[in-house]
Amino acid sequence: MTRTLHLNAFLMGVGHHEAAWRHPRTDPRRVTDVRHFQELARIAERGTLDSLFLADGLSVGPNPRHNIQAVFEPLTLLASLAAVTEHIGLIATVSTTYNEPFHTARKFASLDHLSGGRVGWNIVTSAQEREAVNFNRDSHPAHADRYRRAAEFVDVAIKLWDSWEDDALVFDTTAGVFADTDRVHEVAHRGPEFQVRGPLNIPRGPQGRPLLVQAGSSPDGIAFAARYAEAVFTAQQTLADGQSFYAELRRQVTAAGRDPELVKVLPGIAPVLGGTEAEARALAAELEELIVPDYALAQLSGMLGIDLTGLPLDGPLPELPAAGTVQAHQSRYQLVTELARREQLTIRQLIGRLGGGRGHRVVAGTPEQVADQIELWFNHGAADGFNIMPPHLPGGLADFVDHVVPVLRSRGLFRTEYTGRTLREHYGLPRPASAYAASALVPA
């Protein structure tokens, strides 16, 4: 069976490069204009991409003086994007640390109905300490505690999505029967974190359940993905690292009793495109020149969980604790520290490298060169597809759709048209039966 490449458009403001808002190819005023995001959604759908993705955070960043901090609530924005598209999948981030299962399940089920079955949930546990103080807490829960809560949170959400069986709605106007109540179930969940009776107050969506996406690559994150995820967004800098992550995830998925072919791995890639490699590298250099060091240093401090203020930019990172001892985003912490050590980067060089993708791989080159890297990772056990992170928007996404996608199609790696209707169909994943359905209750 021929594998199909999967492509997701990661939409962020006016571009993923932290200095994109200062570049003449963008207009930073568009970050609060819904028409900007609708244009991006249409561009991505024009390229027959599987899905688009909206990240989220629940606090203002450390230094709004020097970068865009305006972020729409993603589920609200997805509703507007669903209205102007027909095929592309719509994935939003929602934190399990600072939300509740019932209203999260309800919102995603509502959007699945509204979009005709195109919704996915990027499950995160929140990595930023400053989010806690916005939710009646003095401090962020420990890393392991956040993942324990996340597991129970997702278990409850799945029970709620399944609480209406597919044939629960009767619509018998003559007899006056709207729903078969034998097929509508209380979930009666009582656990350490949540008590939820159910059922959900919206029937089962077109996909049964939204596509479940996960984005953590720490040991806890991989174990969580092995249990729940159907697509995994990850950050890897080298082919060898990508292959190692891919193999370990598939091993743990198998150990969890799941089919690894039904879990799609999509590393992030930030393509800086030009008609020639020199043009692409010149654009990358222009963007790097626009980085504000104070902002970049604050971002790096946040990634590492250590205040780097006052350290010489042309010196190395200070001695840092082991990855497992920090409460920050552990996989990103390890990636950044290994990158700095492997290439012996100064702090200035490191913030320049991170400016384009916050640890995701930046590839500057022609459309053919970018396609070469995508094909290499896809064919050598490091990826099932890619999370595309254009450095500037909308132009960077349009360049990828108009120039890289045709190369991938010509090589037989990517679709020329949509063949499915739902997000699950785009990713080649089955529609799960309700846990309460008779077929699901019969032993295999």
Side-chain angles (χ1 to χ4, degrees), residues 51-314:
S51 51
L52 61 83
F53 162 55
L54 301 173
D56 194 30
L58 299 171
S59 64
V60 172
N63 200 342
R65 177 179 176 84
H66 298 302
N67 209 328
I68 293 169
Q69 299 290 337
V71 179
F72 282 124
E73 192 286 312
L75 290 170
T76 306
L77 180 54
L78 282 191
S80 75
L81 303 187
V84 299
T85 56
E86 295 182 10
H87 302 284
I88 194 165
L90 308 163
I91 301 172
T93 294
V94 172
S95 169
T96 57
T97 303
Y98 301 117
N99 282 287
E100 290 287 323
F102 189 92
H103 70 245
T104 299
R106 184 188 187 198
K107 290 174 183 178
F108 276 108
S110 298
L111 274 173
D112 207 45
H113 279 284
L114 292 172
S115 66
R118 294 188 282 138
V119 170
W121 173 19
N122 178 46
I123 305 161
V124 302
T125 62
S126 291
Q128 299 300 325
E129 183 76 28
R130 57 185 173 270
E131 294 187 20
V133 296
N134 290 336
F135 291 89
N136 204 35
R137 302 187 188 193
D138 293 326
S139 62
H140 206 35
H143 189 268
D145 292 340
R146 298 200 305 273
Y147 272 99
R148 278 192 291 270
R149 176 184 169 93
E152 187 179 344
F153 193 115
V154 176
D155 285 339
V156 176
I158 290 172
K159 290 177 182 178
L160 289 167
W161 288 321
D162 286 357
S163 61
W164 291 69
E165 295 183 39
D166 289 323
D167 54 356
L169 296 180
V170 177
F171 301 118
D172 188 337
T173 56
T174 302
V177 178
F178 177 78
D180 181 348
T181 51
D182 289 338
R183 289 177 168 78
V184 182
H185 307 274
E186 291 187 359
V187 303
H189 177 89
R190 297 182 68 87
E193 295 283 344
F194 305 108
Q195 296 182 26
V196 180
R197 185 178 70 180
L200 196 62
N201 57 347
I202 182 170
R204 207 158 190 255
Q207 293 188 110
R209 305 167 195 160
L211 182 78
L212 297 183
V213 183
Q214 191 267 351
S217 303
S218 67
D220 285 334
I222 294 174
F224 184 88
R227 180 174 172 185
Y228 296 107
E230 296 165 302
V232 176
F233 296 155
T234 183
Q236 309 294 336
Q237 282 286 321
T238 69
L239 176 61
D241 287 345
Q243 291 169 323
S244 177
F245 175 84
Y246 190 89
E248 177 59 19
L249 177 63
R250 288 173 66 88
R251 185 190 70 78
Q252 291 197 34
V253 169
T254 302
R258 300 175 61 209
D259 182 352
E261 297 299 324
L262 301 182
V263 181
K264 310 302 181 181
V265 178
L266 286 80
I269 183 171
V272 184
L273 291 162
T276 65
E277 183 177 352
E279 288 178 4
R281 293 193 177 279
L283 175 57
E286 288 174 13
L287 288 163
E288 188 169 334
E289 276 292 313
L290 295 174
I291 290 175
V292 178
D294 286 351
Y295 174 82
L297 197 61
Q299 289 291 98
L300 180 58
S301 296
M303 288 184 192
L304 299 178
I306 294 171
D307 187 2
L308 302 174
T309 304
L311 291 177
L313 292 180
D314 293 314

